[in-house]
């Protein structure tokens, strides 16, 4: 690196807060929350100890719900 180059760390560009949602909410609910908070992606919380966290992006909803003519409700 040159002396003029500034190191940019991941923390410098990361969003400090993420929108967390219950895994049982509908896609329509998720879209509404995303629009209200101007965020993408959503963190999907565990429903129980043996469950996993998830991440949903607008592109996931477009490809897996809307493009397949499935209702977001």
């Amino acid at each position: 690196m040159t002396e003029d180059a500034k190191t940019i760390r991941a923390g410098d560009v990361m969003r400090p807060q993420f929108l967390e949602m219950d895994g049982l909410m509908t896609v329509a609910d998720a879209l509404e929350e995303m629009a209200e908070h101007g965020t993408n992606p959503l963190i999907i919380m565990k429903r129980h100890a043996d469950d996993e966290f998830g991440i949903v992006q607008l592109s996931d909803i477009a490809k897996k719900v809307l493009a397949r003519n499935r209702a977001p409700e």
Side-chain angles (χ1 to χ4, degrees):
M1 282 192 332
T2 67
E3 290 181 27
D4 295 335
K6 181 180 181 233
T7 301
I8 299 173
R9 302 194 185 286
D12 297 335
V13 296
M14 287 174 41
R15 183 180 293 231
Q17 298 286 327
F18 287 95
L19 187 58
E20 299 173 350
M21 296 191 63
D22 184 299
L24 297 177
M25 293 181 79
T26 66
V27 171
D29 293 333
L31 289 169
E32 187 175 310
E33 291 291 321
M34 291 168 101
E36 183 178 322
H37 292 90
T39 188
N40 178 38
L42 294 175
I43 305 298
I44 308 302
M45 302 305 294
K46 289 181 170 188
R47 293 172 292 186
H48 49 76
D50 293 328
D51 203 1
E52 300 295 332
F53 288 100
I55 298 175
V56 174
Q57 297 185 28
L58 285 173
S59 60
D60 296 327
I61 294 170
K63 291 175 191 172
K64 297 176 182 175
V65 178
L66 303 177
R68 295 181 181 177
N69 292 324
R70 297 174 72 189
E73 293 79 22

